[in-house]
Amino acid sequence: MIIVTNNSIFGENLKYIRESNGFTSWYMAKLLNITEEKLQQTESGACLEIDGLIVQILLNMLDDETADLFEKIYP
């Protein structure tokens, strides 16, 4: 499943999750099975297509069943 969004908040949340876990962009890209370039594009909001599996992995990393990655979750 591919999710198409123009919501830059997803990218900001992705970067927040990565940094709060102490992951480099290289390591996070490997965890998500994407290129580091795709990760950087997604974090910046330039990439509009997000695989559903990536969303599920990120939600699992948050440990919050009510989290919505398309709404602001970082402080």
Side-chain angles (χ1 to χ4, degrees):
M1 175 177 75
I2 300 291
I3 299 168
V4 178
T5 180
N6 62 357
N7 191 340
S8 65
I9 291 175
F10 180 87
E12 292 170 6
N13 288 338
L14 173 57
K15 186 173 183 176
Y16 171 76
I17 293 167
R18 178 177 62 76
E19 290 176 345
S20 66
N21 282 286
F23 297 157
T24 64
S25 58
W26 178 86
Y27 185 74
M28 187 69 157
K30 293 298 176 194
L31 283 176
L32 299 176
N33 197 31
I34 59 176
T35 65
E36 191 173 2
E37 180 182 2
K38 172 95 172 183
L39 175 67
Q40 291 168 349
Q41 289 173 346
T42 304
E43 286 183 351
S44 71
C47 178
L48 302 179
E49 294 182 355
I50 300 137
D51 187 287
L53 181 59
I54 291 173
V55 173
Q56 188 58 49
I57 291 169
L58 294 172
L59 287 172
N60 288 342
M61 291 177 78
L62 282 175
D63 292 328
D64 183 353
E65 294 178 11
T66 64
D68 182 348
L69 293 171
F70 298 94
E71 293 182 9
K72 191 171 183 176
I73 60 171
Y74 56 93

